Amino acid sequence: MSITSDEVNFLVYRYLQESGFSHSAFTFGIESHISQSNINGTLVPPAALISILQKGLQYVEAEISINEDGTVFDGRPIESLSLIDAVMPDVVQTRQQAFREKLAAQQQASGAAPATSSSSGSTSQQKPPENGEVVNGDENGTHNLNNHSEPMEIDGEVEIPASKATVLRGHESEVFICAWNPVSDLLASGSGDSTARIWNLNENSNSSSTQLVLRHCIREGGQDVPSNKDVTSLDWNSEGTLLATGSYDGFARIWRKDGNLASTLGQHKGPIFALKWNKKGNCILSAGVDKTTIIWDAHTGEAKQQFPFHSAPALDVDWQNNTTFASCSTDMCIHVCRLGSDRPLKTFQGHTNEVNAIKWDPSGMLLASCSDDMTLKIWSMKQDSCVHDLQAHSKEIYTIKWSPTGPGTNNPNSNIMLASASFDSTVRLWDVERGVCIHTLTRHQEPVYSVAFSPDGKFLASGSFDKCVHIWNTTSGALVHSYRGTGGIFEVCWNSTGDKVGASASDGSVCVLDLRK
């Protein structure tokens, strides 16, 4: 048996990605040359590093518990080892000695001869762990990272049958993002294989099983060669005619819906983490690791203005209107900026860890932010401090979404809500006006990476690394549909008519769930 440094590096890289440390993962991946290894990431299951470490701990515990003659102590008298304990010889030796003493006392009480002490024993007859046993598990209230091995039972009444799920395959690596065209059933997806793809799910199309492959290339030696960098973000314009993508190669690109490249936007000095069209469709906004945000002219591909106000990588951006936007960063700050202004209109400070996502409500009056500090905050341009500081999640909050309800929406008679998705495996629905949590949705078993409201706001889809897509009634909080895919879910999204949900996964698959009865 041999272990290569490439294998170790890849597992660490995947662990960083799955844990939400996307920026650390990027830096580590570049320095360890992950893209040059021949490891097929789609075949590696989620939480692989944690799983193999837990098996290693079980082996060390078994080694401690077995004598030279193969006898095993009846029971588990010694508390489980931690990962650090297992690599410290003094700790292991102390545990072995304590085990031998208890074993000798047990044998003496039964009249048997004491076993010979040994620092290492044969494992050929080791006692396997009992079913359900968790090494170094949840005794301190920590989430069990390996609980994907015991999947949740899905109620047959809410489970979406296979006949209602279309699995789209073609990507060669994780699919981080997906988004429906706003006017037709074209689903775009972006992957670690340096491609975006457009899938045609229109009923009247004969090409529903085909895919347009949008290869992200860079110029080298006068030729276009694959960038070998993740496609990190994508967004359709409001008319559904153009798709913008952002990549770790530092370029934003605009594509026509037929898959042809319209323009390449190249002023960022490093990976792009987020990009958004404005409603008018004449500008694109992007955020990058170079600490800047840029407004681009969508027609010419030129940068109209670059905003250098963050002191660390910018993680997310969102338009308030056609010229004003907010940005957030690992520097814990939120800036509100406007095209033509050389200073931020407003800077919101209050988070104590990096701010992962920001979203304006449909009216553009309130800004929501979520952070690794486990809080969700609501801000108003009318004051410097936050309107609400919502503290209920027990781990990092990865993303947030406003419901398409309330004043200024197509559903003005329904109250507006905010959904938050966390690494604590829960989704929460909030009444922002009162600053209270309405529902805590708890059926996921691993970190929740994405949430999305249906167009009428009556349902919420959530996707988790437990491979499940759940669909909830937003009024009652009841689970109404569930689907278990073949990989951890990174993104969920609804089509414009609210009868299909798309989901992208860690195993390279893209799934479309048909919710029509």
Side-chain angles (χ1 to χ4, degrees):
M1 180 189 301
S2 62
I3 301 173
T4 68
S5 58
D6 278 352
E7 291 172 330
V8 174
N9 288 339
F10 183 82
L11 290 178
V12 172
Y13 169 73
R14 279 289 293 272
Y15 169 76
L16 290 171
Q17 275 191 324
E18 292 167 4
S19 300
F21 303 117
S22 56
H23 324 107
S24 300
F26 164 73
T27 303
F28 182 81
I30 292 296
E31 293 183 353
S32 57
H33 304 290
I34 292 295
S35 63
Q36 297 176 20
S37 75
N38 59 0
I39 299 170
N40 186 348
T42 62
L43 302 179
V44 180
L49 180 63
I50 299 297
S51 179
I52 199 70
L53 289 174
Q54 287 180 321
K55 288 176 182 176
L57 281 174
Q58 289 176 334
Y59 179 89
V60 174
E61 288 187 324
E63 212 176 26
I64 291 174
S65 307
I66 294 172
N67 294 294
E68 285 181 334
D69 60 359
T71 58
V72 181
F73 184 79
D74 184 17
R76 296 181 62 81
I78 309 300
E79 63 183 276
S80 297
L81 288 169
S82 73
L83 182 59
I84 300 301
D85 289 343
V87 297
M88 297 176 66
D90 290 348
V91 173
V92 172
Q93 189 173 8
T94 300
R95 296 288 181 91
Q96 283 176 327
Q97 185 58 39
F99 169 78
R100 305 302 172 210
E101 290 171 359
K102 291 197 176 187
L103 178 60
Q106 183 189 58
Q107 291 174 329
Q108 189 171 11
S110 64
T116 305
S117 178
S118 170
S119 60
S120 64
S122 167
T123 59
S124 60
Q125 301 180 43
Q126 76 182 63
K127 177 184 176 183
E130 297 178 7
N131 290 338
E133 179 188 352
V134 178
V135 178
N136 199 25
D138 291 2
E139 59 189 12
N140 295 321
T142 56
H143 184 63
N144 174 18
L145 293 178
N146 200 35
N147 62 9
H148 64 274
S149 62
E150 295 179 14
M152 176 197 75
E153 291 300 320
I154 295 178
D155 186 338
E157 294 184 6
V158 302
E159 184 173 10
I160 295 174
S163 61
K164 292 284 191 178
T166 302
V167 179
L168 307 170
R169 297 197 181 273
H171 281 296
E172 299 171 0
S173 187
E174 303 97 330
V175 188
F176 300 115
I177 41 173
C178 58
W180 288 99
N181 184 293
V183 298
S184 65
D185 277 353
L186 299 175
L187 180 64
S189 57
S191 168
D193 64 8
S194 74
T195 73
R197 297 177 191 233
I198 298 176
W199 313 83
N200 193 334
L201 280 302
N202 287 298
E203 294 295 323
N204 58 359
S205 171
N206 295 322
S207 58
S208 60
S209 61
T210 65
Q211 53 187 298
L212 297 175
V213 181
L214 283 49
R215 301 193 183 281
H216 288 55
C217 297
I218 54 176
R219 296 291 290 180
E220 268 186 16
Q223 293 183 321
D224 287 337
V225 298
S227 71
N228 293 323
K229 297 292 189 295
D230 300 351
V231 177
T232 57
S233 49
L234 46 79
D235 192 37
W236 291 95
N237 68 346
S238 59
E239 295 178 347
T241 55
L242 298 170
L243 176 72
T245 61
S247 170
Y248 262 37
D249 66 12
F251 292 95
R253 295 171 174 84
I254 302 175
W255 311 80
R256 299 183 185 92
K257 66 177 181 179
D258 62 6
N260 288 316
L261 181 64
S263 58
T264 300
L265 319 178
Q267 190 157 310
H268 276 294
K269 302 285 192 295
I272 294 171
F273 289 140
L275 57 73
K276 301 275 176 64
W277 287 89
N278 66 353
K279 189 173 182 179
K280 190 176 179 181
N282 63 329
C283 291
I284 295 172
L285 172 64
S286 60
V289 75
D290 61 7
K291 311 175 188 177
T292 74
T293 54
I294 299 176
I295 292 180
W296 307 85
D297 186 314
H299 302 300
T300 65
E302 298 297 319
K304 292 168 74 82
Q305 188 172 351
Q306 189 163 12
F307 302 84
F309 305 128
H310 286 293
S311 59
L315 302 185
D316 196 17
V317 285
D318 197 39
W319 291 99
Q320 182 188 29
N321 52 47
N322 284 312
T323 57
T324 305
F325 69 93
S327 62
C328 65
S329 165
T330 62
D331 66 8
M332 304 180 281
C333 290
I334 299 165
H335 295 307
V336 181
C337 301
R338 179 176 294 155
L339 181 64
S341 297
D342 59 3
R343 301 289 303 166
L345 305 182
K346 196 86 168 176
T347 294
F348 295 123
Q349 293 179 297
H351 282 294
T352 57
N353 207 326
E354 62 184 63
V355 186
N356 294 318
I358 47 172
K359 295 287 183 297
W360 290 100
D361 78 335
S363 71
M365 298 295 291
L366 297 175
L367 180 69
S369 62
C370 65
S371 167
D372 279 1
D373 67 11
M374 303 182 287
T375 73
L376 176 67
K377 300 186 193 297
I378 310 297
W379 311 87
S380 167
M381 292 294 285
K382 297 177 181 178
Q383 62 186 68
D384 293 333
S385 59
C386 62
V387 177
H388 292 298
D389 184 11
L390 306 176
Q391 303 183 30
H393 284 291
S394 60
K395 287 192 177 179
E396 298 92 332
I397 306 174
Y398 191 72
T399 193
I400 46 178
K401 292 285 173 61
W402 290 96
S403 62
T405 52
T409 72
N410 293 328
N411 312 291
N413 297 323
S414 300
N415 293 330
I416 191 167
M417 290 175 287
L418 184 68
S420 55
S422 170
F423 283 4
D424 66 10
S425 304
T426 72
V427 174
R428 288 179 178 266
L429 281 171
W430 303 85
D431 179 330
V432 175
E433 188 174 329
R434 293 186 294 145
V436 297
C437 179
I438 313 167
H439 299 295
T440 303
L441 313 177
T442 60
R443 295 291 290 273
H444 284 299
Q445 296 184 304
E446 297 216 15
V448 185
Y449 278 85
S450 181
V451 286
F453 282 95
S454 61
D456 59 8
K458 293 180 180 178
F459 299 99
L460 180 78
S462 60
S464 162
F465 235 64
D466 63 8
K467 304 181 182 178
C468 288
V469 176
H470 292 328
I471 296 170
W472 316 82
N473 181 303
T474 55
T475 302
S476 66
L479 181 66
V480 293
H481 296 294
S482 280
Y483 175 78
R484 181 179 290 117
T486 53
I489 307 298
F490 279 116
E491 183 95 56
V492 291
C493 56
W494 294 81
N495 67 344
S496 60
T497 52
D499 57 17
K500 293 187 181 78
V501 169
S504 61
S506 63
D507 67 344
S509 65
V510 178
C511 184
V512 177
L513 307 177
D514 188 340
L515 302 181
R516 293 171 297 179
K517 295 181 179 178

